[in-house]
Amino acid sequence: PRPRVCGLCRGSQAAFAIFCRLFVYAGNAVIYGWIDTTLGRAMGAVRDDELAADLVGVNTFGAKVISFVLGAVLGGIGGALFATGYSFIGPEDFTFLQSTEMITMVVIGGTGYVLGGGFGSALLVLLPELLRPLRDTYMIFYGLAVVLVIIFIPDGVVGRIYEFFRSHTKHEVPNDVSSFDSIPYLQV
């Protein structure tokens, strides 16, 4: 049976879809909030360079365990919602092809970004539908598009979007030292 929270999701597909989206938004909010905490920065340091993080005093083992637990909790919630949506799941629902497709979605979207998986999944679900009029040859163009994105955009689509906005919002630093004359310790 579908979950009922405050009278919501009474058998309606649309209500259940909204319910699932709320969990996705909540999960993204938790991850975004986690990034700027001390623990989030420690996890980022372990991801970037474990040895350097260990040398500056980060508990690398603890950061790995917490990231594993966070991933397991979010995966468990996603699996519970998936099972609830389909009423029955079995081993045939999880094939190698589906696993590969999910990894491709994350890589296309951007592995280092919270929104990367969602954007990549939306792109890889919509792309075959847009190429459907090509009938027999649409899989060729689909595969070609995926390979081109992986080769030419290694940070993923979301990574490229972030890079674009970051490069267009640079703040200019004054070129002349005379603007620092009001600071007594910098005067010569």
Side-chain angles (χ1 to χ4, degrees):
R2 299 244 163 105
R4 290 187 185 186
V5 177
C6 300
L8 298 174
C9 303
R10 295 178 185 234
S12 167
Q13 283 289 104
F16 186 68
I18 291 170
F19 183 72
C20 290
R21 285 186 186 148
L22 289 176
F23 268 103
V24 169
Y25 297 147
N28 280 341
V30 165
I31 292 171
Y32 269 123
W34 198 302
I35 290 173
D36 287 332
T37 65
T38 304
L39 184 59
R41 288 191 181 108
M43 292 165 121
V46 170
R47 179 199 61 212
D48 292 341
D49 189 351
E50 185 178 352
L51 180 61
D54 194 25
L55 288 174
V56 296
V58 172
N59 181 0
T60 57
F61 179 75
K64 287 180 186 180
V65 168
I66 291 173
S67 65
F68 178 78
V69 168
L70 180 64
V73 166
L74 292 175
I77 291 171
L81 291 173
F82 180 79
T84 304
Y86 284 98
S87 301
F88 173 78
I89 58 172
E92 62 275 355
D93 294 331
F94 306 100
T95 62
F96 177 74
L97 181 63
Q98 287 176 328
S99 298
T100 305
E101 189 174 287
M102 288 181 199
I103 290 172
T104 305
M105 289 175 181
V106 172
V107 169
I108 294 289
T111 56
Y113 302 93
V114 175
L115 298 177
F119 192 84
S121 63
L123 187 67
L124 288 184
V125 167
L126 292 176
L127 191 60
E129 296 304 319
L130 294 174
L131 296 174
R132 184 90 42 207
L134 299 176
R135 297 193 183 176
D136 297 336
T137 58
Y138 87 95
M139 282 303 282
I140 294 171
F141 291 107
Y142 174 77
L144 183 65
V146 168
V147 168
L148 289 176
V149 167
I150 290 173
I151 290 173
F152 292 111
I153 311 175
D155 286 342
V157 176
V158 173
R160 181 59 59 100
I161 292 169
Y162 279 157
E163 182 181 310
F164 173 79
F165 283 114
R166 198 175 311 124
S167 67
H168 285 74
T169 57
K170 288 184 179 176
H171 301 290
E172 292 203 20
V173 177
N175 291 332
D176 58 338
V177 181
S178 62
S179 62
F180 294 111
D181 286 342
S182 62
I183 303 173
Y185 297 110
L186 295 179
Q187 290 178 352
V188 180

